[in-house]
PDB file of all heavy atoms in Angstrom:
ATOM      1  N   ALA A   1      74.803 -50.381  -7.477  1.00  0.00           N
ATOM      2  CA  ALA A   1      74.302 -51.630  -8.020  1.00  0.00           C
ATOM      3  C   ALA A   1      75.497 -52.417  -8.550  1.00  0.00           C
ATOM      4  O   ALA A   1      76.483 -51.833  -9.018  1.00  0.00           O
ATOM      5  CB  ALA A   1      73.315 -51.356  -9.151  1.00  0.00           C
ATOM      6  N   ASP A   2      75.418 -53.751  -8.494  1.00  0.00           N
ATOM      7  CA  ASP A   2      76.524 -54.581  -8.967  1.00  0.00           C
ATOM      8  C   ASP A   2      76.866 -54.319 -10.433  1.00  0.00           C
ATOM      9  O   ASP A   2      78.026 -54.430 -10.832  1.00  0.00           O
ATOM     10  CB  ASP A   2      76.193 -56.063  -8.783  1.00  0.00           C
ATOM     11  CG  ASP A   2      76.217 -56.487  -7.331  1.00  0.00           C
ATOM     12  OD1 ASP A   2      76.814 -55.787  -6.497  1.00  0.00           O
ATOM     13  OD2 ASP A   2      75.633 -57.550  -7.033  1.00  0.00           O
ATOM     14  N   SER A   3      75.884 -53.964 -11.228  1.00  0.00           N
ATOM     15  CA  SER A   3      76.091 -53.750 -12.648  1.00  0.00           C
ATOM     16  C   SER A   3      76.983 -52.552 -12.980  1.00  0.00           C
ATOM     17  O   SER A   3      77.539 -52.476 -14.073  1.00  0.00           O
ATOM     18  CB  SER A   3      74.746 -53.597 -13.364  1.00  0.00           C
ATOM     19  OG  SER A   3      74.012 -52.510 -12.828  1.00  0.00           O
ATOM     20  N   VAL A   4      77.126 -51.620 -12.048  1.00  0.00           N
ATOM     21  CA  VAL A   4      77.923 -50.422 -12.305  1.00  0.00           C
ATOM     22  C   VAL A   4      79.091 -50.255 -11.341  1.00  0.00           C
ATOM     23  O   VAL A   4      79.918 -49.351 -11.523  1.00  0.00           O
ATOM     24  CB  VAL A   4      77.058 -49.145 -12.266  1.00  0.00           C
ATOM     25  CG1 VAL A   4      75.864 -49.277 -13.199  1.00  0.00           C
ATOM     26  CG2 VAL A   4      76.591 -48.841 -10.845  1.00  0.00           C
ATOM     27  N   LYS A   5      79.178 -51.101 -10.347  1.00  0.00           N
ATOM     28  CA  LYS A   5      80.228 -50.999  -9.328  1.00  0.00           C
ATOM     29  C   LYS A   5      81.616 -51.047  -9.960  1.00  0.00           C
ATOM     30  O   LYS A   5      81.912 -51.910 -10.785  1.00  0.00           O
ATOM     31  CB  LYS A   5      80.064 -52.121  -8.307  1.00  0.00           C
ATOM     32  CG  LYS A   5      80.833 -51.909  -7.014  1.00  0.00           C
ATOM     33  CD  LYS A   5      80.418 -52.954  -5.969  1.00  0.00           C
ATOM     34  CE  LYS A   5      78.946 -52.825  -5.615  1.00  0.00           C
ATOM     35  NZ  LYS A   5      78.513 -53.815  -4.595  1.00  0.00           N
ATOM     36  N   GLY A   6      82.455 -50.096  -9.589  1.00  0.00           N
ATOM     37  CA  GLY A   6      83.803 -50.021 -10.127  1.00  0.00           C
ATOM     38  C   GLY A   6      83.921 -49.159 -11.360  1.00  0.00           C
ATOM     39  O   GLY A   6      85.034 -48.820 -11.781  1.00  0.00           O
ATOM     40  N   ARG A   7      82.795 -48.793 -11.970  1.00  0.00           N
ATOM     41  CA  ARG A   7      82.792 -47.976 -13.180  1.00  0.00           C
ATOM     42  C   ARG A   7      82.126 -46.618 -12.979  1.00  0.00           C
ATOM     43  O   ARG A   7      82.493 -45.648 -13.631  1.00  0.00           O
ATOM     44  CB  ARG A   7      82.089 -48.709 -14.323  1.00  0.00           C
ATOM     45  CG  ARG A   7      82.743 -50.031 -14.699  1.00  0.00           C
ATOM     46  CD  ARG A   7      82.108 -50.624 -15.955  1.00  0.00           C
ATOM     47  NE  ARG A   7      80.687 -50.906 -15.764  1.00  0.00           N
ATOM     48  CZ  ARG A   7      79.702 -50.321 -16.447  1.00  0.00           C
ATOM     49  NH1 ARG A   7      79.981 -49.424 -17.381  1.00  0.00           N
ATOM     50  NH2 ARG A   7      78.441 -50.651 -16.214  1.00  0.00           N
ATOM     51  N   PHE A   8      81.134 -46.552 -12.107  1.00  0.00           N
ATOM     52  CA  PHE A   8      80.398 -45.314 -11.856  1.00  0.00           C
ATOM     53  C   PHE A   8      80.750 -44.769 -10.477  1.00  0.00           C
ATOM     54  O   PHE A   8      80.989 -45.523  -9.535  1.00  0.00           O
ATOM     55  CB  PHE A   8      78.888 -45.555 -11.893  1.00  0.00           C
ATOM     56  CG  PHE A   8      78.318 -45.844 -13.257  1.00  0.00           C
ATOM     57  CD1 PHE A   8      79.121 -46.167 -14.341  1.00  0.00           C
ATOM     58  CD2 PHE A   8      76.941 -45.795 -13.446  1.00  0.00           C
ATOM     59  CE1 PHE A   8      78.587 -46.436 -15.593  1.00  0.00           C
ATOM     60  CE2 PHE A   8      76.386 -46.062 -14.685  1.00  0.00           C
ATOM     61  CZ  PHE A   8      77.207 -46.388 -15.761  1.00  0.00           C
ATOM     62  N   THR A   9      80.743 -43.443 -10.353  1.00  0.00           N
ATOM     63  CA  THR A   9      80.987 -42.790  -9.079  1.00  0.00           C
ATOM     64  C   THR A   9      79.936 -41.711  -8.846  1.00  0.00           C
ATOM     65  O   THR A   9      79.796 -40.794  -9.655  1.00  0.00           O
ATOM     66  CB  THR A   9      82.379 -42.145  -9.023  1.00  0.00           C
ATOM     67  OG1 THR A   9      83.387 -43.138  -9.236  1.00  0.00           O
ATOM     68  CG2 THR A   9      82.611 -41.504  -7.655  1.00  0.00           C
ATOM     69  N   ILE A  10      79.200 -41.825  -7.745  1.00  0.00           N
ATOM     70  CA  ILE A  10      78.215 -40.814  -7.391  1.00  0.00           C
ATOM     71  C   ILE A  10      78.874 -39.832  -6.417  1.00  0.00           C
ATOM     72  O   ILE A  10      79.664 -40.230  -5.563  1.00  0.00           O
ATOM     73  CB  ILE A  10      76.954 -41.455  -6.760  1.00  0.00           C
ATOM     74  CG1 ILE A  10      75.849 -40.412  -6.582  1.00  0.00           C
ATOM     75  CG2 ILE A  10      77.278 -42.125  -5.430  1.00  0.00           C
ATOM     76  CD1 ILE A  10      74.506 -41.019  -6.162  1.00  0.00           C
ATOM     77  N   SER A  11      78.567 -38.564  -6.560  1.00  0.00           N
ATOM     78  CA  SER A  11      79.120 -37.550  -5.671  1.00  0.00           C
ATOM     79  C   SER A  11      78.158 -36.368  -5.600  1.00  0.00           C
ATOM     80  O   SER A  11      77.196 -36.291  -6.369  1.00  0.00           O
ATOM     81  CB  SER A  11      80.504 -37.090  -6.145  1.00  0.00           C
ATOM     82  OG  SER A  11      80.428 -36.473  -7.418  1.00  0.00           O
ATOM     83  N   ARG A  12      78.412 -35.453  -4.683  1.00  0.00           N
ATOM     84  CA  ARG A  12      77.562 -34.281  -4.570  1.00  0.00           C
ATOM     85  C   ARG A  12      78.368 -33.095  -4.085  1.00  0.00           C
ATOM     86  O   ARG A  12      79.363 -33.240  -3.371  1.00  0.00           O
ATOM     87  CB  ARG A  12      76.387 -34.553  -3.613  1.00  0.00           C
ATOM     88  CG  ARG A  12      76.796 -34.819  -2.173  1.00  0.00           C
ATOM     89  CD  ARG A  12      75.638 -35.409  -1.373  1.00  0.00           C
ATOM     90  NE  ARG A  12      74.518 -34.489  -1.276  1.00  0.00           N
ATOM     91  CZ  ARG A  12      73.277 -34.854  -0.965  1.00  0.00           C
ATOM     92  NH1 ARG A  12      72.995 -36.131  -0.728  1.00  0.00           N
ATOM     93  NH2 ARG A  12      72.319 -33.936  -0.900  1.00  0.00           N
ATOM     94  N   ASP A  13      77.937 -31.905  -4.471  1.00  0.00           N
ATOM     95  CA  ASP A  13      78.519 -30.654  -4.007  1.00  0.00           C
ATOM     96  C   ASP A  13      77.374 -29.896  -3.354  1.00  0.00           C
ATOM     97  O   ASP A  13      76.576 -29.250  -4.033  1.00  0.00           O
ATOM     98  CB  ASP A  13      79.114 -29.863  -5.174  1.00  0.00           C
ATOM     99  CG  ASP A  13      79.871 -28.634  -4.704  1.00  0.00           C
ATOM    100  OD1 ASP A  13      79.582 -28.123  -3.607  1.00  0.00           O
ATOM    101  OD2 ASP A  13      80.768 -28.175  -5.446  1.00  0.00           O
ATOM    102  N   ASN A  14      77.286 -30.002  -2.035  1.00  0.00           N
ATOM    103  CA  ASN A  14      76.171 -29.379  -1.322  1.00  0.00           C
ATOM    104  C   ASN A  14      76.182 -27.852  -1.408  1.00  0.00           C
ATOM    105  O   ASN A  14      75.131 -27.223  -1.324  1.00  0.00           O
ATOM    106  CB  ASN A  14      76.162 -29.829   0.140  1.00  0.00           C
ATOM    107  CG  ASN A  14      75.666 -31.253   0.296  1.00  0.00           C
ATOM    108  OD1 ASN A  14      75.056 -31.814  -0.619  1.00  0.00           O
ATOM    109  ND2 ASN A  14      75.925 -31.851   1.453  1.00  0.00           N
ATOM    110  N   ALA A  15      77.353 -27.260  -1.570  1.00  0.00           N
ATOM    111  CA  ALA A  15      77.442 -25.809  -1.702  1.00  0.00           C
ATOM    112  C   ALA A  15      76.830 -25.334  -3.015  1.00  0.00           C
ATOM    113  O   ALA A  15      76.381 -24.192  -3.126  1.00  0.00           O
ATOM    114  CB  ALA A  15      78.892 -25.343  -1.600  1.00  0.00           C
ATOM    115  N   LYS A  16      76.819 -26.217  -4.028  1.00  0.00           N
ATOM    116  CA  LYS A  16      76.270 -25.878  -5.337  1.00  0.00           C
ATOM    117  C   LYS A  16      74.917 -26.531  -5.596  1.00  0.00           C
ATOM    118  O   LYS A  16      74.362 -26.385  -6.683  1.00  0.00           O
ATOM    119  CB  LYS A  16      77.249 -26.289  -6.441  1.00  0.00           C
ATOM    120  CG  LYS A  16      78.567 -25.546  -6.411  1.00  0.00           C
ATOM    121  CD  LYS A  16      79.464 -25.990  -7.552  1.00  0.00           C
ATOM    122  CE  LYS A  16      80.769 -25.217  -7.547  1.00  0.00           C
ATOM    123  NZ  LYS A  16      81.663 -25.642  -8.651  1.00  0.00           N
ATOM    124  N   ASN A  17      74.389 -27.260  -4.614  1.00  0.00           N
ATOM    125  CA  ASN A  17      73.106 -27.962  -4.761  1.00  0.00           C
ATOM    126  C   ASN A  17      73.103 -28.842  -6.013  1.00  0.00           C
ATOM    127  O   ASN A  17      72.139 -28.854  -6.784  1.00  0.00           O
ATOM    128  CB  ASN A  17      71.944 -26.965  -4.828  1.00  0.00           C
ATOM    129  CG  ASN A  17      71.633 -26.317  -3.491  1.00  0.00           C
ATOM    130  OD1 ASN A  17      72.202 -26.669  -2.459  1.00  0.00           O
ATOM    131  ND2 ASN A  17      70.730 -25.359  -3.501  1.00  0.00           N
ATOM    132  N   THR A  18      74.185 -29.580  -6.203  1.00  0.00           N
ATOM    133  CA  THR A  18      74.333 -30.391  -7.406  1.00  0.00           C
ATOM    134  C   THR A  18      74.766 -31.819  -7.092  1.00  0.00           C
ATOM    135  O   THR A  18      75.660 -32.044  -6.275  1.00  0.00           O
ATOM    136  CB  THR A  18      75.340 -29.754  -8.371  1.00  0.00           C
ATOM    137  OG1 THR A  18      74.926 -28.417  -8.680  1.00  0.00           O
ATOM    138  CG2 THR A  18      75.415 -30.542  -9.673  1.00  0.00           C
ATOM    139  N   LEU A  19      74.133 -32.771  -7.764  1.00  0.00           N
ATOM    140  CA  LEU A  19      74.463 -34.197  -7.673  1.00  0.00           C
ATOM    141  C   LEU A  19      75.142 -34.601  -8.977  1.00  0.00           C
ATOM    142  O   LEU A  19      74.768 -34.111 -10.045  1.00  0.00           O
ATOM    143  CB  LEU A  19      73.188 -35.019  -7.485  1.00  0.00           C
ATOM    144  CG  LEU A  19      73.329 -36.545  -7.451  1.00  0.00           C
ATOM    145  CD1 LEU A  19      73.958 -36.977  -6.135  1.00  0.00           C
ATOM    146  CD2 LEU A  19      71.962 -37.196  -7.642  1.00  0.00           C
ATOM    147  N   TYR A  20      76.121 -35.506  -8.899  1.00  0.00           N
ATOM    148  CA  TYR A  20      76.852 -35.952 -10.085  1.00  0.00           C
ATOM    149  C   TYR A  20      76.881 -37.469 -10.202  1.00  0.00           C
ATOM    150  O   TYR A  20      76.757 -38.190  -9.211  1.00  0.00           O
ATOM    151  CB  TYR A  20      78.301 -35.471 -10.043  1.00  0.00           C
ATOM    152  CG  TYR A  20      78.471 -33.981  -9.936  1.00  0.00           C
ATOM    153  CD1 TYR A  20      78.719 -33.376  -8.709  1.00  0.00           C
ATOM    154  CD2 TYR A  20      78.394 -33.172 -11.067  1.00  0.00           C
ATOM    155  CE1 TYR A  20      78.886 -32.004  -8.605  1.00  0.00           C
ATOM    156  CE2 TYR A  20      78.556 -31.809 -10.976  1.00  0.00           C
ATOM    157  CZ  TYR A  20      78.803 -31.226  -9.737  1.00  0.00           C
ATOM    158  OH  TYR A  20      78.966 -29.861  -9.647  1.00  0.00           O
ATOM    159  N   LEU A  21      77.078 -37.937 -11.438  1.00  0.00           N
ATOM    160  CA  LEU A  21      77.338 -39.350 -11.684  1.00  0.00           C
ATOM    161  C   LEU A  21      78.432 -39.410 -12.742  1.00  0.00           C
ATOM    162  O   LEU A  21      78.193 -39.113 -13.914  1.00  0.00           O
ATOM    163  CB  LEU A  21      76.089 -40.087 -12.173  1.00  0.00           C
ATOM    164  CG  LEU A  21      76.268 -41.601 -12.348  1.00  0.00           C
ATOM    165  CD1 LEU A  21      76.492 -42.264 -10.988  1.00  0.00           C
ATOM    166  CD2 LEU A  21      75.059 -42.220 -13.048  1.00  0.00           C
ATOM    167  N   GLN A  22      79.642 -39.788 -12.327  1.00  0.00           N
ATOM    168  CA  GLN A  22      80.755 -39.945 -13.249  1.00  0.00           C
ATOM    169  C   GLN A  22      80.747 -41.387 -13.750  1.00  0.00           C
ATOM    170  O   GLN A  22      80.804 -42.319 -12.943  1.00  0.00           O
ATOM    171  CB  GLN A  22      82.084 -39.643 -12.560  1.00  0.00           C
ATOM    172  CG  GLN A  22      83.308 -39.826 -13.441  1.00  0.00           C
ATOM    173  CD  GLN A  22      83.351 -38.853 -14.596  1.00  0.00           C
ATOM    174  OE1 GLN A  22      83.304 -37.637 -14.382  1.00  0.00           O
ATOM    175  NE2 GLN A  22      83.425 -39.365 -15.823  1.00  0.00           N
ATOM    176  N   MET A  23      80.678 -41.565 -15.055  1.00  0.00           N
ATOM    177  CA  MET A  23      80.604 -42.888 -15.654  1.00  0.00           C
ATOM    178  C   MET A  23      81.820 -43.120 -16.547  1.00  0.00           C
ATOM    179  O   MET A  23      82.125 -42.290 -17.409  1.00  0.00           O
ATOM    180  CB  MET A  23      79.327 -43.028 -16.482  1.00  0.00           C
ATOM    181  CG  MET A  23      78.060 -42.694 -15.709  1.00  0.00           C
ATOM    182  SD  MET A  23      76.559 -42.900 -16.713  1.00  0.00           S
ATOM    183  CE  MET A  23      76.768 -41.541 -17.867  1.00  0.00           C
ATOM    184  N   ILE A  24      82.517 -44.229 -16.348  1.00  0.00           N
ATOM    185  CA  ILE A  24      83.657 -44.589 -17.185  1.00  0.00           C
ATOM    186  C   ILE A  24      83.456 -46.005 -17.703  1.00  0.00           C
ATOM    187  O   ILE A  24      82.599 -46.738 -17.224  1.00  0.00           O
ATOM    188  CB  ILE A  24      84.999 -44.490 -16.418  1.00  0.00           C
ATOM    189  CG1 ILE A  24      85.051 -45.514 -15.274  1.00  0.00           C
ATOM    190  CG2 ILE A  24      85.208 -43.082 -15.907  1.00  0.00           C
ATOM    191  CD1 ILE A  24      86.413 -45.624 -14.626  1.00  0.00           C
ATOM    192  N   SER A  25      84.269 -46.398 -18.693  1.00  0.00           N
ATOM    193  CA  SER A  25      84.191 -47.735 -19.285  1.00  0.00           C
ATOM    194  C   SER A  25      82.757 -48.094 -19.647  1.00  0.00           C
ATOM    195  O   SER A  25      82.277 -49.188 -19.346  1.00  0.00           O
ATOM    196  CB  SER A  25      84.768 -48.780 -18.317  1.00  0.00           C
ATOM    197  OG  SER A  25      86.115 -48.494 -18.007  1.00  0.00           O
ATOM    198  N   LEU A  26      82.099 -47.181 -20.309  1.00  0.00           N
ATOM    199  CA  LEU A  26      80.689 -47.372 -20.641  1.00  0.00           C
ATOM    200  C   LEU A  26      80.469 -48.524 -21.609  1.00  0.00           C
ATOM    201  O   LEU A  26      81.264 -48.759 -22.519  1.00  0.00           O
ATOM    202  CB  LEU A  26      80.112 -46.082 -21.215  1.00  0.00           C
ATOM    203  CG  LEU A  26      79.835 -45.003 -20.165  1.00  0.00           C
ATOM    204  CD1 LEU A  26      79.701 -43.636 -20.818  1.00  0.00           C
ATOM    205  CD2 LEU A  26      78.572 -45.350 -19.390  1.00  0.00           C
ATOM    206  N   LYS A  27      79.370 -49.235 -21.386  1.00  0.00           N
ATOM    207  CA  LYS A  27      78.982 -50.384 -22.197  1.00  0.00           C
ATOM    208  C   LYS A  27      77.650 -50.101 -22.878  1.00  0.00           C
ATOM    209  O   LYS A  27      76.869 -49.284 -22.396  1.00  0.00           O
ATOM    210  CB  LYS A  27      78.829 -51.627 -21.310  1.00  0.00           C
ATOM    211  CG  LYS A  27      80.036 -51.960 -20.462  1.00  0.00           C
ATOM    212  CD  LYS A  27      79.710 -53.113 -19.526  1.00  0.00           C
ATOM    213  CE  LYS A  27      80.898 -53.466 -18.658  1.00  0.00           C
ATOM    214  NZ  LYS A  27      80.578 -54.578 -17.725  1.00  0.00           N
ATOM    215  N   PRO A  28      77.362 -50.780 -23.994  1.00  0.00           N
ATOM    216  CA  PRO A  28      76.059 -50.596 -24.642  1.00  0.00           C
ATOM    217  C   PRO A  28      74.896 -50.845 -23.679  1.00  0.00           C
ATOM    218  O   PRO A  28      73.854 -50.203 -23.804  1.00  0.00           O
ATOM    219  CB  PRO A  28      76.086 -51.632 -25.769  1.00  0.00           C
ATOM    220  CG  PRO A  28      77.529 -51.723 -26.125  1.00  0.00           C
ATOM    221  CD  PRO A  28      78.246 -51.649 -24.794  1.00  0.00           C
ATOM    222  N   GLU A  29      75.080 -51.750 -22.728  1.00  0.00           N
ATOM    223  CA  GLU A  29      74.046 -52.058 -21.744  1.00  0.00           C
ATOM    224  C   GLU A  29      73.747 -50.891 -20.804  1.00  0.00           C
ATOM    225  O   GLU A  29      72.745 -50.910 -20.086  1.00  0.00           O
ATOM    226  CB  GLU A  29      74.442 -53.273 -20.894  1.00  0.00           C
ATOM    227  CG  GLU A  29      74.803 -54.508 -21.700  1.00  0.00           C
ATOM    228  CD  GLU A  29      76.294 -54.608 -21.957  1.00  0.00           C
ATOM    229  OE1 GLU A  29      76.761 -53.999 -22.946  1.00  0.00           O
ATOM    230  OE2 GLU A  29      76.986 -55.297 -21.185  1.00  0.00           O
ATOM    231  N   ASP A  30      74.608 -49.879 -20.790  1.00  0.00           N
ATOM    232  CA  ASP A  30      74.388 -48.698 -19.957  1.00  0.00           C
ATOM    233  C   ASP A  30      73.449 -47.697 -20.627  1.00  0.00           C
ATOM    234  O   ASP A  30      73.067 -46.702 -20.007  1.00  0.00           O
ATOM    235  CB  ASP A  30      75.714 -47.998 -19.646  1.00  0.00           C
ATOM    236  CG  ASP A  30      76.633 -48.839 -18.781  1.00  0.00           C
ATOM    237  OD1 ASP A  30      76.141 -49.473 -17.822  1.00  0.00           O
ATOM    238  OD2 ASP A  30      77.846 -48.860 -19.064  1.00  0.00           O
ATOM    239  N   THR A  31      73.099 -47.948 -21.882  1.00  0.00           N
ATOM    240  CA  THR A  31      72.181 -47.069 -22.598  1.00  0.00           C
ATOM    241  C   THR A  31      70.852 -47.016 -21.854  1.00  0.00           C
ATOM    242  O   THR A  31      70.217 -48.039 -21.619  1.00  0.00           O
ATOM    243  CB  THR A  31      71.955 -47.566 -24.031  1.00  0.00           C
ATOM    244  OG1 THR A  31      73.185 -47.473 -24.763  1.00  0.00           O
ATOM    245  CG2 THR A  31      70.901 -46.728 -24.741  1.00  0.00           C
ATOM    246  N   ALA A  32      70.444 -45.815 -21.481  1.00  0.00           N
ATOM    247  CA  ALA A  32      69.216 -45.649 -20.698  1.00  0.00           C
ATOM    248  C   ALA A  32      68.932 -44.176 -20.466  1.00  0.00           C
ATOM    249  O   ALA A  32      69.783 -43.315 -20.697  1.00  0.00           O
ATOM    250  CB  ALA A  32      69.354 -46.350 -19.343  1.00  0.00           C
ATOM    251  N   VAL A  33      67.734 -43.904 -19.993  1.00  0.00           N
ATOM    252  CA  VAL A  33      67.408 -42.577 -19.493  1.00  0.00           C
ATOM    253  C   VAL A  33      67.796 -42.597 -18.026  1.00  0.00           C
ATOM    254  O   VAL A  33      67.380 -43.490 -17.281  1.00  0.00           O
ATOM    255  CB  VAL A  33      65.911 -42.246 -19.639  1.00  0.00           C
ATOM    256  CG1 VAL A  33      65.598 -40.910 -18.972  1.00  0.00           C
ATOM    257  CG2 VAL A  33      65.532 -42.187 -21.112  1.00  0.00           C
ATOM    258  N   TYR A  34      68.598 -41.645 -17.605  1.00  0.00           N
ATOM    259  CA  TYR A  34      69.066 -41.579 -16.223  1.00  0.00           C
ATOM    260  C   TYR A  34      68.303 -40.502 -15.467  1.00  0.00           C
ATOM    261  O   TYR A  34      68.249 -39.349 -15.896  1.00  0.00           O
ATOM    262  CB  TYR A  34      70.564 -41.291 -16.190  1.00  0.00           C
ATOM    263  CG  TYR A  34      71.403 -42.492 -16.553  1.00  0.00           C
ATOM    264  CD1 TYR A  34      71.469 -42.936 -17.863  1.00  0.00           C
ATOM    265  CD2 TYR A  34      72.107 -43.195 -15.574  1.00  0.00           C
ATOM    266  CE1 TYR A  34      72.211 -44.064 -18.201  1.00  0.00           C
ATOM    267  CE2 TYR A  34      72.853 -44.314 -15.900  1.00  0.00           C
ATOM    268  CZ  TYR A  34      72.902 -44.748 -17.209  1.00  0.00           C
ATOM    269  OH  TYR A  34      73.647 -45.863 -17.533  1.00  0.00           O
ATOM    270  N   TYR A  35      67.726 -40.894 -14.329  1.00  0.00           N
ATOM    271  CA  TYR A  35      66.936 -39.993 -13.509  1.00  0.00           C
ATOM    272  C   TYR A  35      67.634 -39.666 -12.193  1.00  0.00           C
ATOM    273  O   TYR A  35      68.188 -40.556 -11.538  1.00  0.00           O
ATOM    274  CB  TYR A  35      65.585 -40.613 -13.167  1.00  0.00           C
ATOM    275  CG  TYR A  35      64.712 -40.918 -14.358  1.00  0.00           C
ATOM    276  CD1 TYR A  35      64.710 -42.179 -14.937  1.00  0.00           C
ATOM    277  CD2 TYR A  35      63.875 -39.944 -14.893  1.00  0.00           C
ATOM    278  CE1 TYR A  35      63.907 -42.472 -16.023  1.00  0.00           C
ATOM    279  CE2 TYR A  35      63.066 -40.226 -15.979  1.00  0.00           C
ATOM    280  CZ  TYR A  35      63.085 -41.490 -16.540  1.00  0.00           C
ATOM    281  OH  TYR A  35      62.280 -41.773 -17.613  1.00  0.00           O
ATOM    282  N   CYS A  36      67.580 -38.427 -11.797  1.00  0.00           N
ATOM    283  CA  CYS A  36      68.045 -37.962 -10.499  1.00  0.00           C
ATOM    284  C   CYS A  36      66.844 -38.031  -9.560  1.00  0.00           C
ATOM    285  O   CYS A  36      65.751 -37.588  -9.919  1.00  0.00           O
ATOM    286  CB  CYS A  36      68.553 -36.521 -10.646  1.00  0.00           C
ATOM    287  SG  CYS A  36      68.892 -35.642  -9.113  1.00  0.00           S
ATOM    288  N   THR A  37      67.021 -38.605  -8.360  1.00  0.00           N
ATOM    289  CA  THR A  37      65.910 -38.708  -7.415  1.00  0.00           C
ATOM    290  C   THR A  37      66.299 -38.228  -6.024  1.00  0.00           C
ATOM    291  O   THR A  37      67.454 -38.319  -5.619  1.00  0.00           O
ATOM    292  CB  THR A  37      65.387 -40.151  -7.295  1.00  0.00           C
ATOM    293  OG1 THR A  37      66.310 -40.946  -6.539  1.00  0.00           O
ATOM    294  CG2 THR A  37      65.202 -40.783  -8.669  1.00  0.00           C
ATOM    295  N   LYS A  38      65.321 -37.730  -5.291  1.00  0.00           N
ATOM    296  CA  LYS A  38      65.492 -37.248  -3.924  1.00  0.00           C
ATOM    297  C   LYS A  38      64.798 -38.196  -2.962  1.00  0.00           C
ATOM    298  O   LYS A  38      63.661 -38.595  -3.190  1.00  0.00           O
ATOM    299  CB  LYS A  38      64.896 -35.844  -3.780  1.00  0.00           C
ATOM    300  CG  LYS A  38      64.783 -35.352  -2.345  1.00  0.00           C
ATOM    301  CD  LYS A  38      63.959 -34.071  -2.268  1.00  0.00           C
ATOM    302  CE  LYS A  38      63.704 -33.670  -0.812  1.00  0.00           C
ATOM    303  NZ  LYS A  38      62.821 -34.647  -0.129  1.00  0.00           N
ATOM    304  N   TRP A  39      65.485 -38.555  -1.879  1.00  0.00           N
ATOM    305  CA  TRP A  39      64.883 -39.335  -0.812  1.00  0.00           C
ATOM    306  C   TRP A  39      64.282 -38.384   0.217  1.00  0.00           C
ATOM    307  O   TRP A  39      64.634 -37.213   0.275  1.00  0.00           O
ATOM    308  CB  TRP A  39      65.923 -40.236  -0.134  1.00  0.00           C
ATOM    309  CG  TRP A  39      66.347 -41.373  -1.004  1.00  0.00           C
ATOM    310  CD1 TRP A  39      67.203 -41.312  -2.072  1.00  0.00           C
ATOM    311  CD2 TRP A  39      65.930 -42.736  -0.900  1.00  0.00           C
ATOM    312  NE1 TRP A  39      67.340 -42.560  -2.643  1.00  0.00           N
ATOM    313  CE2 TRP A  39      66.578 -43.448  -1.939  1.00  0.00           C
ATOM    314  CE3 TRP A  39      65.072 -43.424  -0.024  1.00  0.00           C
ATOM    315  CZ2 TRP A  39      66.391 -44.824  -2.128  1.00  0.00           C
ATOM    316  CZ3 TRP A  39      64.889 -44.787  -0.214  1.00  0.00           C
ATOM    317  CH2 TRP A  39      65.552 -45.471  -1.261  1.00  0.00           C
ATOM    318  N   ASN A  40      63.382 -38.894   1.071  1.00  0.00           N
ATOM    319  CA  ASN A  40      62.743 -38.026   2.060  1.00  0.00           C
ATOM    320  C   ASN A  40      63.407 -38.106   3.434  1.00  0.00           C
ATOM    321  O   ASN A  40      62.781 -37.812   4.454  1.00  0.00           O
ATOM    322  CB  ASN A  40      61.239 -38.313   2.164  1.00  0.00           C
ATOM    323  CG  ASN A  40      60.933 -39.739   2.577  1.00  0.00           C
ATOM    324  OD1 ASN A  40      61.814 -40.491   2.964  1.00  0.00           O
ATOM    325  ND2 ASN A  40      59.662 -40.104   2.497  1.00  0.00           N
ATOM    326  N   SER A  41      64.693 -38.481   3.468  1.00  0.00           N
ATOM    327  CA  SER A  41      65.460 -38.507   4.707  1.00  0.00           C
ATOM    328  C   SER A  41      66.944 -38.372   4.384  1.00  0.00           C
ATOM    329  O   SER A  41      67.326 -38.282   3.221  1.00  0.00           O
ATOM    330  CB  SER A  41      65.200 -39.792   5.483  1.00  0.00           C
ATOM    331  OG  SER A  41      65.755 -40.907   4.818  1.00  0.00           O
TER     332      SER A  41
END
């Protein structure tokens, strides 16, 4: 999303079945509940 571009990095380790979100330069506007979601493809 434009609001996080350049500050957040999404990645995954398929061997560990784990998804990550690295967040830097955090702003008060980033305050939220963050949900992990699975797509069906």
Side-chain angles (χ1 to χ4, degrees):
D2 288 341
S3 59
V4 307
K5 196 170 298 180
R7 300 187 299 117
F8 289 14
T9 301
I10 188 171
S11 63
R12 64 194 297 161
D13 187 335
N14 285 344
K16 296 181 178 180
N17 287 354
T18 304
L19 177 73
Y20 302 98
L21 184 67
Q22 178 65 56
M23 306 181 291
I24 65 171
S25 301
L26 284 162
K27 306 174 180 179
E29 306 94 275
D30 294 318
T31 295
V33 174
Y34 285 73
Y35 299 95
C36 169
T37 74
K38 169 190 173 293
W39 289 76
N40 60 10
S41 69

